[in-house]
Amino acid sequence: MAVEQLIITLISLFFAPIIIILSLIILLASVGKSIGVRRKYVECLLKVFEWGQTKIAKHNERRRASRDEGYDSEREDKENRPQTDTVKKKLEDGATQESLTSKNLIKRDFKLTASGRRRLRLFSQKSSLEILKHEFQLDDVMPLCKTGLESIIEDDVTSCFSAEELTSWNFLSRTNSNYQFISLRLTVMWCVGIIFRYFILLPMRLLIAGFGISWMLVSTAFIGYLPSGRFKGWLNRRASLMCYRILARAFSATITFHNRENMAHDGICVANHTSPIDVLILATDNCYAMIGQCHGGFLGLLQRAMARATSHIWFERSEMKDRLAVTNRLKDHVSNPSTLPILIFPEGTCINNTSVMMFKKGSFEVGGTVYPVAIKYDPRFSDTFWNSSKQSMTKHLLLMMTSWAIVCDVWYLPPETKKEEEDAVMFANRMKSIIASQGGLVDLEWDGGLKRNLPKAAMKEKQQAEISKLIKLE
């Protein structure tokens, strides 16, 4: 009896602080307030990462010191030079911002692009076909061979569908699969991090997520029975913000919003796409209508719950293929002043937080005001990119819940409308460039559909036609 009483007492002492902490987190999230604990937690993590990087740098210095002096030593010194010094030197040399944000390691004379607008004059000294027939040499085709090899070694498309590379280790094995033993202190810190993330953070985050999802189901069910009007819209906004803020706490999300005066109040809001939680990040600050395909299972349950509270656009699989039907429903939604701004990710797939790929033109054929939003995650704290071809959504969410935190910046950009001289494609490209520039992302012309599908025949023919124009004969 005494032993049972002791166990009950210990359990009470152990769970009481956890319940108090969870209650405080949920209460603060419900009213949209913060006492700064997450930001202090992020600052502590940065100090730990800095300490770990110092240890790794000292280990590399000792390893270099043990080697012979010479070319290898000089080359390693250049490779391990701090990134800030490198960027500073490039700026002093007059490098452009595009060269600093570019991911390319190969300096190219000719680069294949989706639009095929960059050209190279291969036979500039050949003035006629007769001279070409007599003076043609085998090395005349080398520029094209070189371009092909460069595209195989390093292309802009496949690199967008892999995890973003880090300059320093963040004590996550998933970001450093080739980790080798360096010191006992680093190994101990890594083990402590595993215990902290999986046995302390993960259970608390799952409880918070469970409460947030339950609150969504209950609140939307209640709001669904209310008659349409201002009160229902006001109550739905409060309940939605409360729900998404609670769910954001389940990932220890630390979000910094910029230029909130440009926040969407109607029309269409477009943003770059990295992860399914992009919706969660944006919905903690504003209330949006969603658009997407109808799903079954648990995700379908959430879709039906959201649809009870406000107007969302969910399509059946067969209807999604009908572009006209999608466009008409979008136009009806945008033309109704009582509806919420609709949130769309025009890329159509997730990109790895380094680039912005081609925007589908459908969202920009509707008309009305478009509110661009740029989202940029800090890769030091988690890998937010979802590679849907390799990970299920459940695994992706679990990996983020076992990461240190979700840290990101969100920029609300000034609203834009289509100009008279623009078509839908030109308008989409302009919005893409604006978002890429603000978020410090690489602006790419390629279609994100290449993530799963082979290039279309028309795309190949466009490249072949462009290459044929490289031979300039007079």
Side-chain angles (χ1 to χ4, degrees):
M1 188 70 177
V3 176
E4 294 178 355
Q5 188 67 28
L6 179 62
I7 294 175
I8 294 174
T9 303
L10 291 175
I11 292 176
S12 301
L13 293 174
F14 179 74
F15 280 102
I18 296 179
I19 294 174
I20 294 174
I21 293 174
L22 289 176
S23 301
L24 181 61
I25 291 173
I26 293 172
L27 177 62
L28 292 173
S30 301
V31 297
K33 300 296 182 180
S34 175
I35 58 178
V37 174
R38 284 172 298 156
R39 295 197 180 274
K40 291 293 183 182
Y41 166 64
V42 169
E43 292 175 3
C44 291
L45 286 176
L46 288 175
K47 292 180 180 179
V48 173
F49 297 160
E50 184 179 354
W51 172 81
Q53 183 62 21
T54 302
K55 291 292 182 182
I56 295 174
K58 289 182 178 179
H59 171 75
N60 292 335
E61 289 177 2
R62 289 194 297 267
R63 186 174 60 180
R64 287 197 303 270
S66 64
R67 294 180 179 177
D68 295 333
E69 296 292 334
Y71 173 76
D72 292 339
S73 177
E74 294 177 0
R75 183 177 61 180
E76 288 180 3
D77 288 339
K78 292 181 181 179
E79 291 177 353
N80 289 276
R81 185 176 299 165
Q83 187 177 1
T84 55
D85 294 344
T86 304
V87 175
K88 183 177 180 181
K89 185 177 185 302
K90 287 183 177 181
L91 289 174
E92 291 174 351
D93 294 340
T96 62
Q97 182 65 26
E98 180 181 359
S99 64
L100 295 178
T101 58
S102 176
K103 302 178 296 179
N104 296 327
L105 301 177
I106 300 175
K107 183 178 180 180
R108 309 184 186 212
D109 298 321
F110 173 63
K111 184 177 179 181
L112 297 178
T113 61
S115 59
R117 289 179 296 185
R118 302 185 184 181
R119 300 181 180 179
L120 176 69
R121 190 180 179 91
L122 293 181
F123 307 103
S124 57
Q125 297 180 355
K126 312 283 194 302
S127 58
S128 67
L129 182 60
E130 293 299 325
I131 297 177
L132 175 62
K133 290 180 178 179
H134 291 87
E135 296 185 3
F136 175 80
Q137 297 179 0
L138 185 60
D139 60 358
D140 287 333
V141 300
M142 292 307 296
L144 292 179
C145 296
K146 178 175 178 288
T147 300
L149 290 174
E150 288 170 348
S151 299
I152 294 173
I153 295 171
E154 181 186 65
D155 71 283
D156 293 328
V157 179
T158 55
S159 60
C160 294
F161 306 130
S162 58
E164 184 178 0
E165 296 182 3
L166 299 179
T167 56
S168 61
W169 188 34
N170 59 357
F171 292 93
L172 294 177
S173 58
R174 69 195 68 159
T175 58
N176 192 355
S177 57
N178 297 322
Y179 172 75
Q180 297 178 355
F181 178 81
I182 294 178
S183 71
L184 180 61
R185 291 183 181 180
L186 283 176
T187 303
V188 170
M189 182 62 70
W190 176 66
C191 294
V192 171
I194 290 178
I195 296 173
F196 177 69
R197 289 184 290 107
Y198 281 88
F199 296 97
I200 297 179
L201 288 182
L202 180 59
M204 294 182 64
R205 289 171 174 175
L206 288 174
L207 289 174
I208 296 173
F211 181 86
I213 293 173
S214 301
W215 172 249
M216 174 185 285
L217 296 175
V218 172
S219 61
T220 52
F222 172 76
I223 295 173
Y225 287 105
L226 298 177
S228 300
R230 284 189 174 184
F231 177 72
K232 181 178 181 180
W234 175 85
L235 188 61
N236 173 67
R237 178 179 176 82
R238 301 308 305 171
S240 176
L241 290 175
M242 185 185 301
C243 170
Y244 285 112
R245 285 167 179 170
I246 292 173
L247 291 175
R249 298 303 199 276
F251 297 94
S252 300
T254 304
I255 313 167
T256 303
F257 293 98
H258 306 271
N259 307 325
R260 298 183 73 247
E261 66 275 8
N262 296 324
M263 186 187 303
H265 300 288
D266 54 13
I268 298 175
C269 177
V270 296
N272 56 301
H273 199 21
T274 303
S275 168
I277 68 165
D278 293 340
V279 176
L280 174 64
I281 296 298
L282 295 177
T284 59
D285 197 42
N286 195 12
C287 198
Y288 296 97
M290 310 296 176
I291 180 172
Q293 180 180 319
C294 293
H295 293 274
F298 181 71
L299 189 57
L301 177 64
L302 295 180
Q303 286 182 327
R304 291 190 294 272
M306 294 167 62
R308 285 195 294 266
T310 189
S311 176
H312 298 276
I313 302 178
W314 307 122
F315 294 97
E316 297 295 339
R317 181 181 295 272
S318 58
E319 201 174 7
M320 285 292 289
K321 297 180 180 179
D322 188 352
R323 289 184 56 203
L324 182 60
V326 175
T327 303
N328 289 335
R329 292 193 62 179
L330 276 175
K331 287 181 178 179
D332 293 340
H333 183 95
V334 173
S335 61
N336 188 348
S338 62
T339 56
L340 297 171
I342 189 163
L343 179 60
I344 301 178
F345 301 101
E347 289 170 295
T349 189
C350 295
I351 312 300
N352 71 346
N353 196 42
T354 62
S355 310
V356 181
M357 302 192 78
M358 186 183 75
F359 279 8
K360 303 296 194 306
K361 66 177 182 179
S363 308
F364 303 92
E365 293 176 330
V366 178
T369 305
V370 176
Y371 296 82
V373 176
I375 307 174
K376 178 64 176 178
Y377 294 92
D378 193 330
R380 294 174 295 181
F381 302 95
S382 62
D383 176 21
T384 53
F385 167 58
W386 181 38
N387 190 345
S388 56
S389 61
K390 295 183 178 180
Q391 294 177 346
S392 64
M393 184 179 293
T394 303
K395 182 180 179 180
H396 173 67
L397 295 176
L398 182 62
L399 286 175
M400 286 195 293
M401 280 191 170
T402 54
S403 297
W404 296 112
I406 303 296
V407 181
C408 68
D409 287 90
V410 175
W411 290 272
Y412 295 112
L413 304 173
E416 300 282 349
T417 56
K418 187 168 66 172
K419 299 178 181 179
E420 293 183 0
E421 67 275 10
E422 286 183 327
D423 57 15
V425 175
M426 296 170 64
F427 187 29
N429 289 333
R430 183 160 63 89
M431 292 297 97
K432 176 169 65 74
S433 299
I434 291 174
I435 292 175
S437 177
Q438 179 62 70
L441 305 169
V442 180
D443 186 0
L444 297 178
E445 301 175 349
W446 298 101
D447 186 358
L450 295 173
K451 180 179 182 179
R452 298 181 182 86
N453 304 319
L454 294 175
K456 297 179 181 179
M459 185 179 297
K460 295 180 181 179
E461 292 173 358
K462 183 186 295 184
Q463 297 296 335
Q464 292 170 354
E466 183 61 27
I467 290 175
S468 67
K469 297 177 183 177
L470 297 177
I471 305 177
K472 298 283 188 177
L473 297 178
E474 299 175 358

